[in-house]
Amino acid sequence: MNVRKIVTLIDETAREGGRPVNPAARVAVVAAVIENPWGNQPFVEDLSEGIQDNASDLGALLAPRVIEALGAPVEAYGKAAIVGLDGEIEHGSALIHTLQFGDHFRKAAEATTLLPAVEKRGRAGVTFDIPLKHKTDATIRSHHQSIEVRIPDAPHPGEIVVALAAAAQGRPQQRLAPLSSEK
């Protein structure tokens, strides 16, 4: 795994809907900008070697960092893979849609649900939204949220941005009824 940089973002919302949010709603994102392990090659039919060489190491690198950056117990989480223009969306998906990657975050967050994800291809500075859901019950509406991310100089054409996001709570001032209340 060739990491060019790691970016950490913290978002704290202190007011929402004209009212204070106390404590402030906190979301953390940690992203690694890596060299695409399948870059500079013709079409690769079997991606398993690149997955084995990179997915677990990426999960082990990012999971403790995003939890530390959050500074509170994780309640909601999500992931992203943004592939540079010379790669395939499947390259990003191959890294993040594996137990080798995701289980590091699930274990560290004491979570059981699947990690919601976004994958896309884009130029350096592309904006992407990471979806988050509750870590143990994906039907809890208050925790369905997203965070917008942009890294000005990534991904380069031969890179992939792999990111994890964690929230310490649901949406600020959420007031939707539980999903189970609908008929």
Side-chain angles (χ1 to χ4, degrees), residues 10-61:
I10 306 293
D11 184 287
E12 288 187 343
T13 302
R15 291 188 69 77
E16 180 71 24
R19 294 182 174 194
V21 175
N22 191 9
R26 187 173 175 94
V27 181
V29 176
V30 176
V33 180
I34 66 165
E35 182 180 334
N36 184 336
W38 301 281
N40 299 319
Q41 299 178 51
F43 186 87
V44 177
E45 189 67 41
D46 183 358
L47 302 176
S48 60
E49 183 178 335
I51 292 167
Q52 291 299 325
D53 291 347
N54 295 282
S56 183
D57 290 343
L58 272 168
L61 173 70

Side-chain angles (χ1 to χ4, degrees), residues 77-79 99 106 111-117 133-136 138:
Y77 66 165
K79 62 187 174 182
L99 294 176
R106 266 186 290 282
T112 57
T113 59
L114 292 175
L115 278 153
K133 290 191 177 184
H134 194 276
K135 69 178 189 173
T136 60

Side-chain angles (χ1 to χ4, degrees), residues 7 13 18-20 25 41 44 51-52 56 69-70 76 84 107 111 126 132 146 152 155 163-164 175 182:
V7 176
T13 302
R19 294 182 174 194
Q41 299 178 51
V44 177
I51 292 167
Q52 291 299 325
S56 183
L70 185 62
K107 288 175 186 171
V126 65
L132 293 93
S146 61
L164 294 179
R175 44 200 183 272
E182 286 189 13

